[in-house]
Amino acid sequence: MKILVTGGLGYIGSHTVVELQSEGFEVVIIDDLSNASEKVLDGIEAITHKRPIFEKLDLKSKIGVTDFFKRHKDIGGVIHFAAYKAVGESVNNPLMYYENNINSLVYLLQEMAQLDKKNFIFSSSCTVYGQADKLPITEDAPVKPAESPYGNTKQIGEEIIRDTCRVDQDFKSIALRYFNPIGAHPSAEIGELPIGVPQNLVPYITQTAIGIREQLSVFGNDYPTPDGTCIRDYIHVVDLAKAHVVALNRLLGNKNEANFEVFNLGTGKGSSVLEAIKSFEKVSGTKLNYKIVGRREGDVTAAYAETTKANTILGWKTKSSLDDAMASAWRWEQRIRK
Ligand code: WQD
């Protein structure tokens, strides 16, 4: 069966393409290359020995989306990653985020409705919870006012899909709320490729360790946590990618209990920034140069997943530890800087 993966040359998208191909799916990637390189196709092929079909396409073009589906009539499901995802950038440029992340979703859903296509996996984020009142976070935790336009596009995206499912009982969708994806494929053929200065912790750690960055700034150690630094649920990107195949098979096999379902994807374990640094130092055998600075605006104190629903209903759980993920991130950083 042919599966469309939008944003399939991106970080999580490319790892999901590898897992889909390993399960025997034929994959078509749409990517506008705004935040990814076509070279990622070589990495995917090096792992699976199958080169996915790739089409450069901006999903903000409604005609482009219609034309794509005319040429690929046999798409059996869609996994939608394509979106802008830099929290800080979204604050400074909200309309760019709403136009890109919302319009592309609407055009995709309109085309799928037009062509009676049924199965849609949506890349969502734990950012929809904001600072949850209770930890660990369950899927029925209240969705809080978004801390950024980026987070708002995820909340709005889920509502758009929920409303679509309400009006079309045959349309089936699963929203996957990621916690903090980190690491890289064990082969080091694909991984995270942040453009410019990394916003996220782990690529900043590995770039500091390899000498591209002078020093890591730890954003605050005065939070109400055991060591004062923020707590997150760091999930290996390969575990995350595998969850997408499980979710897709759930829809293809009509195993879903409702036609719109939401699952938290995390390890269920919270780790502080200092614990993440310690894990990196252990697996890399290097001492990381970092300093404590002031808090970063918009950071929540703690967020980690309650994983029972994903484990029991979706039938998926993480296999890799924080150390495994950190080691894979380090292997990848060393590989690309050779
Ligand atoms: C993690 C922790 C920082 C960088 C964001 C998005 C989320 C998802 C993942 C897209 C925090 C601290 C970070 C640094 C630091 N993105 N940190 N120094 O903010 O939890 O989540 O990225 O889907 O939706 O919100 O991830 O890696 O930026 O930060 O101290 O140089 O590391 O303060 O406590 P975050 P992060």
Side-chain angles (χ1 to χ4, degrees):
M1 176 181 282
K2 194 189 268 188
I3 302 297
L4 166 59
V5 179
T6 73
L9 294 183
Y11 175 39
I12 305 166
S14 56
H15 286 82
T16 302
V17 168
V18 163
E19 298 307 322
L20 284 166
Q21 289 188 317
S22 310
E23 288 273 309
F25 287 103
E26 185 190 357
V27 176
V28 186
I29 292 173
I30 284 177
D31 204 299
D32 68 0
L33 300 179
S34 64
N35 193 17
S37 144
E38 218 171 318
K39 286 213 297 294
V40 171
L41 284 168
D42 300 335
I44 293 170
E45 188 177 12
I47 298 167
T48 65
H49 311 300
K50 280 175 274 186
R51 197 174 183 82
I53 304 164
F54 165 63
E55 292 205 19
K56 185 176 184 300
L57 174 64
D58 180 345
L59 291 170
K60 292 195 294 295
S61 156
K62 185 173 171 61
I63 298 168
V65 173
T66 303
D67 175 53
F68 171 85
F69 277 96
K70 278 204 185 96
R71 285 182 285 103
H72 296 277
K73 295 190 185 329
D74 50 350
I75 297 276
V78 176
I79 304 183
H80 181 46
F81 291 102
Y84 297 154
K85 63 156 197 120
V87 173
E89 182 184 76
S90 77
V91 172
N92 301 322
N93 212 328
L95 290 180
M96 182 175 94
Y97 271 67
Y98 289 117
E99 184 197 28
N100 187 67
N101 293 6
I102 303 300
N103 288 7
S104 54
L105 172 65
V106 169
Y107 296 154
L108 266 178
L109 293 174
Q110 283 176 326
E111 205 54 41
M112 290 182 76
Q114 193 69 25
L115 299 167
D116 216 17
K117 301 275 176 200
K118 299 287 166 208
N119 306 301
F120 189 76
I121 306 288
F122 180 62
S123 165
S124 190
S125 168
C126 65
T127 202
V128 302
Y129 298 115
Q131 177 53 71
D133 304 325
K134 259 179 71 222
L135 290 168
I137 303 173
T138 58
E139 284 83 354
D140 52 14
V143 169
K144 295 250 181 104
E147 310 261 340
S148 69
Y150 158 73
N152 207 17
T153 65
K154 291 300 180 185
Q155 290 181 6
I156 296 167
E158 287 192 13
E159 287 311 312
I160 290 171
I161 299 164
R162 192 187 300 275
D163 288 342
T164 304
C165 291
R166 199 175 286 131
V167 80
D168 175 0
Q169 281 306 313
D170 294 334
F171 187 73
K172 298 176 286 178
S173 182
I174 291 177
L176 298 173
R177 292 175 177 169
Y178 312 154
F179 280 69
N180 286 60
I182 64 168
H185 192 269
S187 66
E189 294 288 355
I190 53 174
E192 197 168 2
L193 279 169
I195 295 174
V197 179
Q199 300 302 307
N200 295 133
L201 177 67
V202 172
Y204 207 107
I205 286 178
T206 56
Q207 288 193 11
T208 302
I210 205 132
I212 296 173
R213 308 289 160 206
E214 187 56 35
Q215 183 179 52
L216 169 75
S217 297
V218 173
F219 297 138
N221 68 345
D222 58 349
Y223 286 92
T225 61
D227 66 16
T229 62
C230 294
I231 291 172
R232 295 290 184 275
D233 185 334
Y234 295 102
I235 173 173
H236 196 302
V237 66
V238 172
D239 280 331
L240 188 64
K242 289 178 187 300
H244 290 75
V245 183
V246 173
L248 178 69
N249 282 326
R250 180 176 173 86
L251 294 184
L252 295 176
N254 296 311
K255 298 198 191 84
N256 50 303
E257 290 162 8
N259 69 328
F260 180 61
E261 295 178 308
V262 175
F263 293 97
N264 285 345
L265 298 184
T267 66
K269 184 179 176 318
S271 302
S272 74
V273 176
L274 292 180
E275 286 170 332
I277 291 171
K278 219 175 265 112
S279 165
F280 176 79
E281 292 182 329
K282 183 173 107 186
V283 301
S284 66
T286 64
K287 195 95 190 75
L288 192 75
N289 179 12
Y290 69 90
K291 67 177 180 220
I292 306 289
V293 298
R295 294 183 175 193
R296 178 174 70 174
E297 204 189 327
D299 274 337
V300 296
T301 301
Y304 51 95
E306 212 294 334
T307 59
T308 306
K309 188 178 174 189
N311 300 159
T312 54
I313 296 181
L314 188 56
W316 164 90
K317 67 186 302 176
T318 53
K319 293 194 172 60
S320 299
S321 67
L322 177 61
D323 289 356
D324 297 333
M326 280 296 184
S328 69
W330 182 228
R331 259 200 313 279
W332 167 248
E333 188 68 63
Q334 290 170 302
R335 165 82 191 269
I336 53 175
R337 304 299 170 198
K338 250 191 223 146

